[in-house]
Amino acid sequence: MVDSTGRREIALAGFGGQGVILAGVLLGHAAVKDGWFAAGSSSYGAQARGSACRADLVICEKPIDYPHVEAPDLLVAMSQGAYDAYHKELKHDGRVIYDAGLMKSMMGHPFETGFDVTAEAITKVGSKQTTNVVWLGIVAGFTGWFTEKALEEAVRENVSERFLDSNLKALAIGLSLGLGRREGDG
């Protein structure tokens, strides 16, 4: 899934209001803390909430010469619209992780893995607003590309003290979910 230079491309996509942009920022901060080079970009529709939203992140062991995602190694589909819009951009061996509770139609590709992310955030954290941080833990646990320590530091440095405990709980839940379905573990 990763090219010979160690370059990894991640696309996080959903709709405005899901915390897609913050998730991309937090992953980028964690990557740098883990010793990677990182470059990110984001885009969203004209409306702040409800319109398409995407955060792209490139991480690499070496300085990044082209900072844009062209063919993601990993697509995090936080909504059906995001999946429909972006799953065709994946590398031939790219992976899709998606919110199984929000999806109605999938391609059935062997590299698609569903997690009931929104439901987990609501039932175990008590807040739908922490769904994006559950995703961070899933990405880290599933891929092995980010350490728990770096993600926790990124959350502590970028999330308001008022919401810190619930977001750290969300991160731990996501890590557990991702590790339970680690890529390549069958």
Side-chain angles (χ1 to χ4, degrees), residues 14-73:
F15 53 84
Q18 285 186 298
V20 174
I21 305 300
L22 178 58
V25 167
L26 293 172
L27 279 179
H29 281 242
V32 170
K33 290 178 179 304
D34 278 334
W36 296 93
F37 289 91
S41 63
S42 58
S43 62
Y44 45 91
Q47 301 170 324
R49 293 199 178 273
S51 61
C53 186
R54 179 169 162 167
D56 288 347
L57 179 65
V58 176
I59 61 173
C60 192
E61 299 165 352
K62 300 175 182 173
I64 297 168
D65 58 355
Y66 185 73
H68 301 287
V69 170
E70 290 189 316
D73 296 289

Side-chain angles (χ1 to χ4, degrees), residues 9-16 18-28 39-44 52-59 69 72-79 82-83 86 89-90 95 97 131-140 145-146 151:
E9 296 184 2
I10 303 167
L12 300 110
F15 53 84
Q18 285 186 298
V20 174
I21 305 300
L22 178 58
V25 167
L26 293 172
L27 279 179
S41 63
S42 58
S43 62
Y44 45 91
C53 186
R54 179 169 162 167
D56 288 347
L57 179 65
V58 176
I59 61 173
V69 170
D73 296 289
L74 179 67
L75 168 62
V76 178
M78 298 182 189
S79 70
Y83 176 85
Y86 302 118
E89 295 179 11
L90 283 170
R95 306 300 195 260
I97 55 177
T131 302
N132 62 334
V133 179
V134 174
W135 272 119
L136 297 180
I138 290 172
V139 168
W145 296 346
F146 304 88
L151 280 168

